[in-house]
Amino acid sequence: MVEDGRTGTPGATLPREGQLTLTLVLATLSSSLGSGFQYGYNIAVVNTPHQVLKSFYNQTYFERYGVPLDGNTLLLLWSCTVSMFPLGGLLGSLGVGLLVDRCGRKGALLINSILAIIPAILMGVSGVARAFELIIVSRVLVGVCAGMAFNALPMYLGELAPKELRGALGSMVEVSVIFGIFLAQILSLRAILGNATGWPVLLAVTGVPAILELLSLPFFPESPRYTLIQKGDEEATRRALRRLRRGDVEAELQEMHAEEQAERAVGPASLRRLVAQRPLRWQLVSVVVLMAGQQLSGISAVRINYYADTIYISAGVDATQSQYVTVGAGVVNIVMTVMSAFAVERMGRRLLLLSGYGICGCACLVLTLVLLFQNTVPELSYLGIVCVLVYIAGHSLGPSPVPSVVRTELFLQSWRPAAFTVDGLVHWLTNFIVGLVFPSIQASLGPYSFIIFAGLCALTAAYIFVIIPETKGRTFLEINRIFAKRNGVVIPEEEEEEAGVGHHLPALPPSQTAL
C-alpha cells in the first residue's frame, strides 16, 4: 500500500521513470492517436469551412431540382450536419460497455478503427457523388466511433498503466483529442484544404489514424486487468505485465487478484445494478458531475466546437481573420493540455481541477464585462480575445483532461463498463445541449450568457472540493476504501490497515463494489 505522504514527495518521480517502458509508450501512442484523434478532429473539422460546405449543399440541391435551397432548409441541413456528431457519440457510448466486455479493451479499439474507415471513405467521395447526404450520414458514423473511443480508450490506458503513471497516461486521451482539434484547424484553413476543391480530402483525413491504429495496435498487449479479472488467464496477464513493466510484476499481479476476489463475491455487474447500488452512490454522482461540468462549463461554446467564430466576431475580430484566431487558440489548447499531462502526477487531480475551474469562471466573468462595454471602449475587444485564450488555458489545465483519468479510477474492474455507459450518456447529452441551446441563450441574454457558465464552473468546483478525494498514487482498492466511508459502508479496521487487500465483510457484500 502506498503511504499518503509518499505520493507527494520528490522521490515519487523515481518509480515513475522506472515504470515507463518502450512498449507502454508505443501502446499509448498507437491507441490514443488512433482513437482520441478521431474524436477531436471531427469536433473541429466542419467549423472553419462551414461556408464552403453550405455552398456545396446549395449547388447540389440546385443541380437536382433546378432551384436553390431556401435559407431555412439550408440552416436545417447544416444543423443536422453539426448535431449528428454528438448524437452518434451518444449511440456509440451506449453500446461500448458490452463491446469492451466481450471483445476486450484493445479489441473494442480495433473494431472502432475498422468502423471509422467507412465514414472517412463516404465523406471523401461525397463531392464526386454530388451527395451531401453522405456527409450527414457519415457524421453520425464518426460520432458513433468517437463515442466508442471516448469510453474504451481511457479504460484501456487506465488499466494498462501502473498507478504511478495512471494520471499521465490517462491524460493522453485529451492530448490526442486536442491534437486532432489542432490538426483540423490547420488543415481547414482556406489556403490548405478548407476550400471548394480540398474539403473532401479534409473530411476523409479522419480515416488515416484509424488505419495506423489498425496496423499497429495488434502488436501490443491487451489490458492486463481485463485479461486476469474478466478472462481468468493469469499466464497471459503475467506476460503482458512483463512487456509493460520493468522489474518484478508479482506484487501488481497479487493486487489484481485481490481486486478479483473483491468483485467475485459481488456477482455480475450491470447498469441496472450500478444505479441501484448504494455503496456506489457517490462514485456515480461524481462521474455525472465531472462529465456534465466539463461540457456545461461552456467549453463547446467558448473553444471551437460550434460557435467560436461568433464569439470572436463579438469580441471585435474581423470575420475573415477569425480562422487564424481559432488556430492560435488551438496552440494554447494543446500546450496547456500537454503541461497538464506532465503535472497531473506531481500536483494531483484535485488541484488541477479546482484551478482549472477557477480560471474558467473568472475568464467568463471578465468576458461578460468586456462584451458589455466594448462598444463604449473599443480597445476592450483585445481583452475579450485574451479572456477566450485564458478560458481555454484553464479548461485545458484541468476540466478537459483530468476527468478522463478520474472516471477510470473511481470504479473497480467489472463496474467500469456500466459506469462508462452513464459517463458517455452524460457527456454526449450535455455536449448536444450546449450546442443546441447556447445560440438561443446568447440571443436572449447577450453578454450575460457567460455568467451562467461562470456559475456552473463554481458549482462544479465546489462539488469537487467537498466530495472527490485525491486519487494520485493510490490503487483502485485504496480508492474503494475511501468511498466506502463516504457511502456509509463499514469496513473492519483491520482491513483498512492491510496493504492492497480488498476483502469486505460477508454481511455487507455491496461494500465490495464501493470505490
Side-chain angles (χ1 to χ4, degrees), residues 231-258:
K231 302 299 290 184
D233 192 337
E234 181 172 336
E235 190 53 41
T237 303
R238 186 176 281 107
R239 289 197 302 269
L241 286 173
R242 286 171 178 166
R243 291 185 63 192
L244 294 166
R245 308 284 188 263
R246 290 196 179 103
D248 185 42
V249 300
E250 293 305 315
E252 187 171 357
L253 194 64
Q254 290 306 311
E255 187 266 322
M256 292 183 193
H257 274 301

Side-chain angles (χ1 to χ4, degrees), residues 56 59-61 63-64 121-135 138 199-200:
F56 169 70
Q59 291 174 4
T60 302
Y61 190 88
E63 291 170 3
R64 293 179 187 175
I121 294 173
L122 293 178
M123 288 188 290
V125 303
S126 59
V128 175
R130 310 302 293 173
F132 58 79
E133 295 89 349
L134 289 178
I135 299 176
S138 297
W199 66 261

Side-chain angles (χ1 to χ4, degrees), residues 75-360:
L75 179 61
L76 176 62
L77 287 174
W78 185 249
S79 298
C80 288
T81 303
V82 172
S83 60
M84 286 300 103
F85 179 72
L87 177 61
L90 176 62
L91 296 175
S93 66
L94 291 176
V96 74
L98 180 63
L99 190 63
V100 294
D101 272 344
R102 295 285 180 86
C103 304
R105 282 52 166 156
K106 185 178 81 170
L109 291 174
L110 290 172
I111 292 172
N112 185 58
S113 294
I114 296 172
L115 296 178
I117 296 171
I118 298 172
I121 294 173
L122 293 178
M123 288 188 290
V125 303
S126 59
V128 175
R130 310 302 293 173
F132 58 79
E133 295 89 349
L134 289 178
I135 299 176
I136 297 175
V137 172
S138 297
R139 290 284 292 173
V140 179
L141 296 178
V142 295
V144 170
C145 294
M148 293 171 60
F150 182 73
N151 283 359
L153 179 58
M155 222 181 294
Y156 180 61
L157 294 181
E159 296 172 12
L160 212 63
K163 64 179 182 295
E164 296 88 356
L165 290 171
R166 201 166 55 222
L169 295 190
S171 297
M172 290 299 106
V173 176
E174 187 66 19
V175 170
S176 62
V177 170
I178 299 306
F179 180 75
I181 291 174
F182 183 67
L183 187 60
Q185 291 169 338
I186 296 295
L187 295 182
S188 62
L189 292 174
R190 294 178 183 87
I192 303 179
L193 292 176
N195 50 57
T197 57
W199 66 261
V201 178
L202 175 68
L203 299 182
V205 165
T206 185
V208 175
I211 293 173
L212 293 177
E213 182 180 37
L214 196 60
L215 294 175
S216 61
L217 192 58
F219 295 99
F220 300 108
E222 175 60 271
S223 156
R225 289 182 177 273
Y226 172 82
T227 305
L228 179 67
I229 297 175
Q230 292 176 263
K231 302 299 290 184
D233 192 337
E234 181 172 336
E235 190 53 41
T237 303
R238 186 176 281 107
R239 289 197 302 269
L241 286 173
R242 286 171 178 166
R243 291 185 63 192
L244 294 166
R245 308 284 188 263
R246 290 196 179 103
D248 185 42
V249 300
E250 293 305 315
E252 187 171 357
L253 194 64
Q254 290 306 311
E255 187 266 322
M256 292 183 193
H257 274 301
E259 184 177 343
E260 179 189 19
Q261 292 169 6
E263 295 200 337
R264 189 180 297 159
V266 150
S270 67
L271 181 59
R272 181 184 62 82
R273 292 192 66 207
L274 171 66
V275 174
Q277 289 284 333
R278 182 192 167 204
L280 294 173
R281 176 184 57 194
W282 284 113
Q283 292 95 304
L284 192 59
V285 172
S286 296
V287 163
V288 170
V289 171
L290 283 173
M291 303 318 300
Q294 184 185 66
Q295 295 300 314
L296 296 179
S297 59
I299 186 61
S300 295
V302 177
R303 189 166 62 183
I304 47 78
N305 299 14
Y306 307 117
Y307 304 104
D309 288 346
T310 302
I311 294 174
Y312 293 144
I313 292 170
S314 298
V317 179
D318 184 81
T320 59
Q321 301 299 316
S322 63
Q323 60 177 332
Y324 299 105
V325 179
T326 299
V327 171
V331 173
V332 173
N333 205 355
I334 197 167
V335 168
M336 293 303 298
T337 304
V338 172
M339 288 179 61
S340 175
F342 281 102
V344 68
E345 292 297 354
R346 292 180 178 272
M347 300 175 63
R349 285 62 156 154
R350 274 169 53 90
L351 181 57
L352 291 181
L353 284 170
L354 293 172
S355 301
Y357 277 115
I359 293 170
C360 290

